[in-house]
Amino acid sequence: MSATIKDIKEETGLSLATISKYLNGGKVLDKNAQLIRTAVEKLHYQPNEMARSLVTNKTRTVGVVCYSVASLFAGIMLKHVGDFLRSKGYGVLICDSDNKEELQAENIRFMLNKKVDGIIIIPVSTSADSLKIARDANVPVVVLDRDMEGNDHDVVTVDNYSAGVKLMNFLIERHHTRIALISSGKHSSHEARNQAYMDVLKREGIPVRNEYICLDNHTMEAGYCAMKKLLRLEERPTAVFSTGYEFNLGIVMALNEDNVKYPEEMSIVGFDDLILPSILHTQLTVMSQPMEKMGRAAASLLLKRIHGKKSAKPEHIIFDAVLLGGNSVIDLTKSGSENILWKSREKRLQSRGEIV
């Protein structure tokens, strides 16, 4: 027969109130906490979570709604969130929105029906309408990585605009003016990076070329198709500014398939220091987001709300991304790469019989 809280009382000599307070996350004297921990280990005590939830109206479970668990970025972020929550005694229930707004709304309703204590969302939709039912149910929500229009919940992101400016400056300082943008037309994170692209071009007096702007869903396939399109242009760009990891994958696949050398024939900058930048012979220059800090901050902020610490207005925690300089960008003036680019292009076209 499994041990009960009364067995712990007999073992420690403490009151049921003190033991219950500790087991439910409350603060007790250090010496009493140590007595209870020793008794729990000795007796192999396992709390009855169903009974506890009936008493406390808490399930010690957090729901995480993610735009796509197939995304490596999202998967790593979920790991950091889950590690922190488990260290605090919380279970994690994850729902995949499969990049579908309607499925995201269903997932939030599902989480509320499961009586989770709070929700962390890495959203698909740009609108916060689907979060209203959580607000009505008095269930706290933290929005992670991407903010949402009309959102009145806490948010944890990086400074996407400043990160985008740093990447664009990196290209400009190496004398690139024909810079393409491969990005998503959705989500605040990509929108801020897109704005940085536009603002730096304007600052430098470089015309925006519509044929260089490729906006699509944040997928590897979209990055691949966009890069293929850019390679077919008569005056193609000398550099590509990518706003997401999945785009990076597609871009490299397209360049490899067409035997286009980078950075000699195409410079690349992007976001996220995941697997790709470190395993390529040509390491990508990327903005690295502090994913572990972001995940832990989102989970910590949610637990603060779950434990009743209200705020007059939602918190917006903003981290800085760090520029990791690889060798995927060439300096056009130092290398004479402008000539290399076009000689290489002509040679390739001749081999295909497209020019004589």
Side-chain angles (χ1 to χ4, degrees):
M1 184 175 178
S2 60
T4 68
I5 192 171
K6 290 183 179 179
D7 296 322
I8 297 176
K9 177 180 182 297
E10 291 179 7
E11 182 71 24
T12 63
L14 299 175
S15 69
L16 289 175
T18 298
I19 297 168
S20 178
K21 183 178 181 181
Y22 174 82
L23 293 177
N24 286 294
K27 185 74 173 174
V28 300
L29 294 174
D30 289 343
K31 64 177 183 178
N32 291 340
Q34 183 57 52
L35 285 172
I36 296 168
R37 283 194 294 267
T38 301
V40 165
E41 185 174 348
K42 177 181 177 180
L43 298 171
H44 305 290
Y45 171 76
Q46 294 292 329
N48 185 325
E49 295 295 346
M50 182 174 292
R52 173 189 282 178
S53 67
L54 290 172
V55 174
T56 65
N57 201 31
K58 300 289 185 184
T59 61
R60 297 188 70 81
T61 303
V62 167
V64 182
V65 178
C66 178
Y67 66 90
S68 173
V69 297
S71 162
L72 180 60
F73 173 87
I76 293 174
M77 191 70 84
L78 291 176
K79 179 187 183 307
H80 294 314
V81 168
D83 286 348
F84 182 84
L85 289 170
R86 282 189 292 273
S87 74
K88 300 300 181 181
Y90 279 77
V92 181
L93 184 61
I94 297 173
C95 280
D96 181 8
S97 297
D98 195 26
N99 283 310
K100 298 181 177 68
E101 293 188 26
E102 63 276 12
L103 186 52
Q104 174 182 281
E106 290 179 17
N107 287 338
I108 292 170
R109 287 193 291 271
F110 173 81
M111 293 294 187
L112 295 175
N113 288 335
K114 290 297 180 182
K115 305 297 182 184
V116 296
D117 296 338
I119 296 173
I120 293 174
I121 180 168
I122 312 176
V124 177
S125 61
T126 56
S127 168
D129 287 348
S130 59
L131 301 182
K132 290 179 180 177
I133 55 173
R135 172 70 71 191
D136 293 342
N138 201 31
V139 173
V141 174
V142 174
V143 179
L144 177 58
D145 181 50
R146 309 165 169 179
D147 201 357
M148 307 164 79
E149 185 177 345
N151 175 43
D152 58 356
H153 298 274
D154 298 312
V155 182
V156 176
T157 63
V158 296
D159 188 339
N160 288 289
Y161 180 81
S162 293
V165 169
K166 289 177 184 176
L167 271 188
M168 286 295 291
N169 286 342
F170 192 88
L171 291 173
I172 295 295
E173 288 163 5
R174 286 150 185 80
H175 307 94
H176 289 271
T177 57
R178 301 206 308 271
I179 304 170
L181 171 69
I182 296 180
S183 181
S184 171
K186 295 182 177 181
H187 312 302
S188 61
S189 56
H190 292 272
E191 289 173 353
R193 297 167 191 176
N194 298 350
Q195 191 61 53
Y197 169 87
M198 296 292 186
D199 288 350
V200 171
L201 291 183
K202 182 179 179 181
R203 184 196 72 199
E204 298 296 323
I206 301 171
V208 175
R209 299 176 61 159
N210 291 332
E211 69 269 27
Y212 284 177
I213 299 176
C214 305
L215 302 180
D216 205 337
N217 292 324
H218 184 202
T219 64
M220 180 178 67
E221 293 77 12
Y224 172 86
C225 292
M227 191 69 251
K228 284 284 193 177
K229 172 188 168 186
L230 292 169
L231 291 174
R232 291 194 295 266
L233 293 176
E234 181 62 26
E235 187 178 37
R236 77 182 190 195
T238 62
V240 176
F241 174 90
S242 164
T243 65
Y245 181 74
E246 275 76 16
F247 290 138
N248 300 347
L249 290 172
I251 288 166
V252 171
M253 285 177 61
L255 292 175
N256 288 341
E257 188 173 278
D258 278 22
N259 295 313
V260 176
K261 296 179 181 179
Y262 49 96
E264 293 89 350
E265 300 176 71
M266 184 67 66
S267 292
I268 311 168
V269 296
F271 276 77
D272 300 323
D273 178 34
L274 303 180
I275 295 174
L276 184 67
S278 58
I279 64 173
L280 294 175
H281 178 70
T282 301
Q283 293 187 341
L284 297 189
T285 296
V286 295
M287 295 303 299
S288 176
Q289 302 185 69
M291 297 175 65
E292 182 175 0
K293 290 182 179 179
M294 292 169 66
R296 290 173 65 88
S300 178
L301 185 53
L302 184 68
L303 293 186
K304 185 167 76 171
R305 299 293 182 237
I306 288 171
H307 295 146
K309 296 179 182 178
K310 304 296 182 182
S311 176
K313 61 180 181 179
E315 288 189 38
H316 193 166
I317 300 174
I318 303 175
F319 289 92
D320 288 324
V322 177
L323 178 63
L324 299 181
N327 54 349
S328 63
V329 177
I330 204 163
D331 190 321
L332 294 181
T333 58
K334 287 183 180 179
S335 63
S337 301
E338 196 74 55
N339 292 328
I340 293 173
L341 287 166
W342 291 102
K343 285 179 181 177
S344 177
R345 179 178 186 275
E346 289 174 2
K347 183 178 180 180
R348 206 166 43 252
L349 292 175
Q350 284 176 341
S351 69
R352 297 176 184 172
E354 296 179 37
I355 64 172
V356 180

